Amino acid sequence: MILDPRYPWLAMGFLTLIATGALLQRAAVAFGLFKDPLMARFRLYGPETPFSPLARFLDMLGVWSLLMASMSDALVANRRGSWEYTPVMFLAVMLMAFTGSYLTRHHDGLRHAMPPWYGELMREVTRPERRHIAYAWLRIPRKMRWRLNADQASFRVFVELVRLTFHYGARDPDDPWAMWN
């Protein structure tokens, strides 16, 4: 019998599916392919709080590895051979991920490791401009955001256009209150 009826397969499968989705989302943020969570941080007022997408990615990798170790241990419980080492490998990945997350949170150089587009924005753009870019990011359609997430050159053009409208001002021709400004 391959599946042990005493093991909660449905619950573990559901948790693993959720953890896989969260891991992929955190990986996309850490590698710069999904900009929404980092753009949301620009909209906040007050001092900028530290944020480490690499540490969050490593945390989720550790949780995912723990779930995979549990499921693979239940799968290979009655088998002999090289499959016996699969849970041990997932547990080793889990330990490395949690250790890496701890080191990332306590080492300044690693804690501030961000995607390249984020570093460029922090170096070249002022805080009010970043806030305008973040609010402009909300105003564009979802399909355009997906395109700008994937295409870094187009994202730079978007940033420059928002900066131009920030400096020179943009007026809405349909605004009835424009004559009072």
Side-chain angles (χ1 to χ4, degrees):
M1 176 183 277
I2 190 167
L3 297 178
D4 186 7
R6 296 169 298 193
Y7 188 77
W9 289 106
L10 189 61
M12 290 302 290
F14 184 68
L15 286 175
T16 305
L17 183 68
I18 289 173
T20 302
L23 178 67
L24 292 174
Q25 190 265 350
R26 300 257 187 333
V29 170
F31 296 118
L33 299 175
F34 185 56
K35 296 175 177 56
D36 286 351
L38 292 175
M39 285 296 219
R41 300 191 68 78
F42 290 146
R43 293 192 307 263
L44 301 175
Y45 288 99
E48 291 183 352
T49 56
F51 179 71
S52 179
L54 181 61
R56 290 184 179 200
F57 166 69
L58 290 172
D59 286 340
M60 190 50 64
L61 179 63
V63 169
W64 180 81
S65 298
L66 179 64
L67 289 170
M68 292 302 293
S70 174
M71 287 186 69
S72 63
D73 184 43
L75 279 173
V76 300
N78 297 330
R79 295 182 182 200
R80 298 282 182 226
S82 63
W83 289 103
E84 291 178 0
Y85 299 109
T86 305
V88 175
M89 290 188 314
F90 279 121
L91 287 174
V93 169
M94 179 200 69
L95 287 174
M96 287 189 293
F98 284 141
T99 304
S101 174
Y102 177 80
L103 291 175
T104 300
R105 292 181 195 280
H106 291 88
H107 190 270
D108 281 339
L110 293 174
R111 184 175 355 139
H112 299 298
M114 296 286 192
W117 68 268
Y118 188 88
E120 290 174 10
L121 227 56
M122 294 301 282
R123 277 193 312 271
E124 300 171 2
V125 180
T126 64
R127 172 112 170 131
E129 289 174 340
R130 286 194 298 268
R131 186 170 293 122
H132 280 277
I133 291 167
Y135 279 112
W137 184 259
L138 286 177
R139 300 283 306 207
I140 59 176
R142 185 172 309 226
K143 284 186 178 182
M144 179 62 90
R145 271 190 264 163
W146 280 102
R147 169 147 166 86
L148 293 177
N149 277 326
D151 189 3
Q152 300 304 318
S154 297
F155 178 73
R156 283 189 203 101
V157 170
F158 166 75
V159 167
E160 291 303 319
L161 288 174
V162 173
R163 288 180 73 192
L164 282 173
T165 58
F166 176 77
H167 286 294
Y168 294 114
R171 301 213 192 301
D172 185 8
D174 298 327
D175 185 13
W177 300 99
M179 66 182 197
W180 300 105
N181 291 335

